[in-house]
Amino acid sequence: MSVAKPNLPKGEPAIKRLNEAKCTLHDLAKFPLLPKAFYGIFSLISRAAGLSWQLARLDIALRFSRPDMVILSQGGNWDGFLYAGVLRRLGIPYALICQKATELYWPSDWMRERCKAMYADAQGAYFVSHHNHRLTEEQMGMAIPRGEVVRNPFLTAWDAPLPWPDAGDGLRLACVGRFFPMEKGQDMLLRVMALPKWRARDVRVSFFGAGDRAEGLKEMAAFLGLDNVAFPGFVRNVQGGIWAQHHALILPTRAEGLPLVVVETMLAGRVTITTDVAGSAEVCSDGETGFIAAAPTEAAIDEAMERAWAARAEWPAIAAAAAASIRTQVPRDPASTFADIVLRLVDKGAVQAPAKDYGEELVGAAE
């Protein structure tokens, strides 16, 4: 097995495990035999040239390995179309994973035919929510053949929810996600927490995560004079480091697939308060297993938090219902379930038809 990715985080435990399993790793954003910084400078001078190098590296790796199947994992729902162009040109079967689809991002017109071809030629297209599947079809203007919803692996225990934490020092809410307010909406939550009623209540929000907007969010909190929020940062052990001490998740997100943190919150036996964005309301039932804000707006988030506050005495029961419910909606081992899907695809032995001339892909990227 081989793994190819720009900027491979070699210190990450998952990458270390792949190394130990003798997987071949290809960092696409690197020049062979040269320090990593050389590619960074090259890419800064010309983003199109940097991307072209990544595609060339992928092309070479695929020509040497000739895999039976490639899984192209996208952070969104169309951002992998240039990589798919390489696969289509070489006639290598592939399947797509789509981790997010949002009304905030649409492919430009020059990309559309390439994106549609990417889906049309894929042996499978795997979405993390029905919303994402439906929205992608709308954005592409076509039905997506072989589309299916799958679940991501999670980092909390399956066997039983955690004991309910003590509330003697007030309610503790965790906002867990990348520090990227344009999508994750932490800015809206800070404004809500600045309202007089939330300043007066015994409620505290801790922001967990990492990202290059962290300082901006911290300074916004300071500017608003908030003493009811904290920024612990990134925590690898989400079960012991977050959910053992917190009563609820507050996720004011603007763009998602199915937030993994919602699944983990429910598995841990905690209350979810989030926006009706993407797949959250598909697994969390408003008023029964959590609280859903009608829209990603400050008014809607405040309204959902107000309903949750009014029902705080019922939180242990709501959390228990959430823990039971989510175990009927996700498999115990999503990675193994998806591996079985991939193996079935490989067994089919399907062969891709080559795409149009690859040079057109690069011209479009440069534009």
Side-chain angles (χ1 to χ4, degrees):
M1 189 174 81
S2 300
V3 176
K5 181 186 182 302
N7 303 307
L8 271 172
K10 293 190 176 179
E12 283 293 312
I15 301 299
K16 291 180 178 178
R17 289 196 296 272
L18 287 172
N19 256 324
E20 292 167 0
K22 307 302 181 185
C23 291
T24 303
L25 303 179
H26 302 278
D27 189 339
L28 301 179
K30 187 180 186 303
F31 293 127
L33 307 178
L34 291 176
K36 178 74 173 176
F38 277 77
Y39 175 84
I41 296 169
F42 178 74
S43 185
L44 281 175
I45 294 171
S46 172
R47 182 175 178 273
L51 179 56
S52 296
W53 174 255
Q54 290 184 28
L55 297 173
R57 288 265 289 171
L58 178 61
D59 183 285
I60 294 168
L62 291 171
R63 285 179 183 274
F64 275 95
S65 61
R66 297 304 304 184
D68 297 307
M69 174 66 65
V70 170
I71 306 301
L72 177 53
S73 182
Q74 306 179 101
N77 62 333
W78 48 264
D79 47 303
F81 75 96
L82 289 174
Y83 299 107
V86 178
L87 297 166
R88 292 170 55 234
R89 184 176 69 86
L90 295 176
I92 296 174
Y94 66 91
L96 302 169
I97 298 176
C98 310
Q99 294 286 0
K100 177 180 63 185
T102 170
E103 293 84 352
L104 298 176
Y105 307 130
W106 287 62
S108 300
D109 287 348
W110 70 265
M111 305 175 183
R112 293 190 58 78
E113 291 308 313
R114 298 173 177 90
C115 293
K116 292 167 73 171
M118 171 180 73
Y119 279 104
D121 289 345
Q123 301 303 308
Y126 301 101
F127 300 88
V128 296
S129 68
H130 295 286
H131 164 277
N132 281 193
H133 186 188
R134 181 177 65 252
L135 177 60
T136 301
E137 290 188 327
E138 292 169 351
Q139 290 180 333
M140 297 298 120
M142 60 177 274
I144 293 175
R146 298 174 292 279
E148 190 175 338
V149 173
V150 297
R151 301 304 187 195
N152 272 322
F154 41 80
L155 299 176
T156 44
W158 173 271
D159 292 334
L162 296 172
W164 188 251
D166 181 71
D169 57 350
L171 292 176
R172 298 181 295 277
L173 279 57
C175 181
V176 184
R178 183 166 51 114
F179 290 150
F180 192 67
M182 297 82 85
E183 291 186 5
K184 297 301 183 181
Q186 293 99 333
D187 57 317
M188 293 188 290
L189 181 55
L190 289 173
R191 294 188 193 99
V192 170
M193 292 303 291
L195 295 174
K197 64 180 180 181
W198 292 110
R199 289 181 187 269
R201 289 170 174 169
D202 198 7
V203 179
R204 187 171 182 82
V205 174
S206 295
F207 290 84
F208 293 92
D212 62 4
R213 272 73 173 185
E215 290 306 312
L217 289 168
K218 291 176 185 177
E219 290 183 10
M220 179 179 176
F223 176 76
L224 294 174
L226 298 179
D227 60 5
N228 53 0
V229 303
F231 290 84
F234 177 74
V235 173
R236 192 173 296 279
N237 179 5
V238 297
Q239 182 152 312
I242 300 177
W243 298 124
Q245 296 85 32
H246 290 80
H247 302 93
L249 167 73
I250 173 66
L251 187 67
T253 188
R254 295 178 167 109
E256 290 290 349
L258 170 63
L260 188 56
V261 68
V262 168
V263 174
E264 293 174 343
T265 299
M266 296 174 74
L267 284 170
R270 298 295 182 261
V271 173
T272 294
I273 309 166
T274 189
T275 49
D276 188 6
V277 169
S280 293
E282 295 175 14
V283 298
C284 182
S285 179
D286 186 40
E288 297 178 6
T289 58
F291 298 89
I292 305 293
T297 66
E298 291 154 37
I301 293 164
D302 175 51
E303 187 273 340
M305 290 176 63
E306 187 66 38
R307 287 191 290 113
W309 171 260
R312 61 193 182 278
E314 302 168 29
W315 280 19
I318 292 171
S325 173
I326 197 63
R327 284 169 171 80
T328 68
Q329 300 181 73
V330 300
R332 177 187 287 265
D333 187 353
S336 178
T337 300
F338 186 67
D340 289 340
I341 293 172
V342 172
L343 290 174
R344 286 197 296 271
L345 287 178
V346 174
D347 288 342
K348 287 181 180 179
V351 178
Q352 291 287 111
K356 56 188 170 184
D357 182 72
Y358 181 49
E360 296 181 25
E361 306 280 353
L362 296 183
V363 170
E367 291 172 354

